[in-house]
Amino acid sequence: MLQLVTDEERTLQSQTKLKDTILSTLPKMITGRKVGFPSGSVELDFSTFGDGRMYYAFRDMEEEGNRRKFWNTFGIYDEKKNNQNIVFEACILKDSPACDVAGFLAEDVDNGVVYLMHSGGVAGGYPGVGKTNFRAYQSEKHRRLVDVMHEGKVHRDGYVIGRIDTKSIVERVWSFLLDVREFKDFMRTEEGQLWASSESSSRYVNHDPELSSHDDIENENDRDEYSVEGRGKRRRIPVGSADYVSYHGDIVDALKRHIERRLSIGHMVINTVKVDLCVSQDGIWSEVFEVKTSSGRQSIYTALGQVLTHSCNPKCENPKRWLVIPNGDNLPSDIRRSLKAYKVDVLSFTLNQSQDKLNIKFENVTL
């Protein structure tokens, strides 16, 4: 479960960690240039990998007499321009749970890891560029929203960009930045404007249920009993559950390539707003895949319902059903029996994050 970070000291520590982590990764400092929209640009130093690559600019807005917030700004550096365009901002309020800024920090209550989050509220001064359309567009691109708690209830939702304490945050920011830029470019086309004016732009928005609970994968014979906090076993996975959520799109893309390597001519891998992936030939679906970023019991329940529902699509003819889950967790016996009974095969994936590359491997799971 993710908890909103609102304590001022904790926010300052987290913002400092975020800034230091990014700056330690971006090697080049640019001075004497402006950053911002034409109507509100400001001259300041920023860091980048170089021309055509990501830049990062930071300001403490309170020190300049503005609202109490930190200004984290990201874009693509163009060395030919004096004024650098902003792709997206992730402003962090210093001590408030208000939801009127797009950026915020959330902490995993199980391990204390803090993540940079974004509501999807992007701006761009162009018709159709906004939070509602961006969320709808991302639903079709496999980036899913996650609920974040505050004072015992869901306070807001947003996209997990990445954890602030590892250098992979730069790669995660770059991935989100490209999604935002793609969306803005799309909205500048005739097709994008037609899409924005249709019902499809607000019909369905994906939320990821994996972080709503952190239940252990208990055996079917486990008794219902009270457990003191901290007792009992905990699931151990190589990457935090919120990290898996942020990598969902990468996992789906890698799975698509994995499937395509074994397909014969005439078959193709496609996706829909609700179906992660399916194999199609002449409009008929022969395989349906549901990708989950957690092997928690509630997540498996959800996945089983989804894959069974999707495989009853009129386009399906006795399709093969697949559940794709993280490697490292043993599925309990009752779950295994259910998967066998409903003829659902299982693939596991392993994430290996190096300094500059994400490797994802898949393998079949024997039930």
Side-chain angles (χ1 to χ4, degrees), residues 142-146 160 208 210-211 240-249 251 293:
H142 302 297
R143 191 180 289 276
R144 297 179 177 181
L145 292 160
V146 172
V160 179
D208 205 306
E210 275 77 353
L211 297 180
S241 52
D243 293 296
Y244 276 126
V245 173
S246 72
Y247 283 117
H248 186 273
I251 296 165
T293 51

Side-chain angles (χ1 to χ4, degrees), residues 144 207-210 212-213 290-292 294 296-310 323 335:
R144 297 179 177 181
H207 276 73
D208 205 306
E210 275 77 353
S212 60
S213 64
E290 181 61 33
V291 179
K292 286 298 171 185
S294 166
R297 184 173 285 274
Q298 188 58 50
S299 181
I300 299 299
Y301 289 159
T302 302
L304 185 56
Q306 288 174 311
V307 75
L308 291 177
T309 300
H310 300 331
L323 174 63
I335 293 292

Side-chain angles (χ1 to χ4, degrees), residues 128-139:
V129 176
K131 181 177 177 179
T132 299
N133 283 342
F134 180 76
R135 287 183 166 207
Y137 188 78
Q138 285 307 306
S139 285

Side-chain angles (χ1 to χ4, degrees), residues 223-239:
R223 295 172 55 194
D224 293 328
E225 58 182 343
Y226 174 78
S227 296
V228 177
E229 184 177 356
R231 291 180 59 186
K233 64 182 181 179
R234 288 183 181 271
R235 294 187 296 114
R236 299 184 65 184
I237 53 180
V239 181

Side-chain angles (χ1 to χ4, degrees), residues 33 51 77-84:
R33 300 288 181 100
D51 186 42
Y77 176 49
D78 186 344
E79 63 182 8
K80 297 178 181 179
K81 291 184 177 181
N82 180 57
N83 192 79
Q84 301 299 308

Side-chain angles (χ1 to χ4, degrees), residues 171-204:
E171 182 267 334
R172 294 289 84 204
V173 169
W174 177 247
S175 175
F176 188 76
L177 183 151
L178 292 179
D179 283 348
V180 176
R181 186 180 68 167
E182 178 185 292
F183 165 71
K184 290 184 175 181
D185 289 344
F186 176 64
M187 295 309 300
R188 286 169 169 79
T189 66
E190 182 178 352
E191 180 186 0
Q193 288 300 300
L194 289 173
W195 174 85
S197 63
S198 69
E199 293 182 1
S200 62
S201 64
S202 59
R203 184 178 300 157
Y204 186 82

Side-chain angles (χ1 to χ4, degrees), residues 36-37 71-74 86-91 102-103 118 121-123 176:
F37 303 107
W71 188 67
N72 299 291
T73 301
F74 305 93
I86 296 173
V87 176
F88 79 93
E89 299 174 331
C91 292
H118 199 279
V122 298
F176 188 76

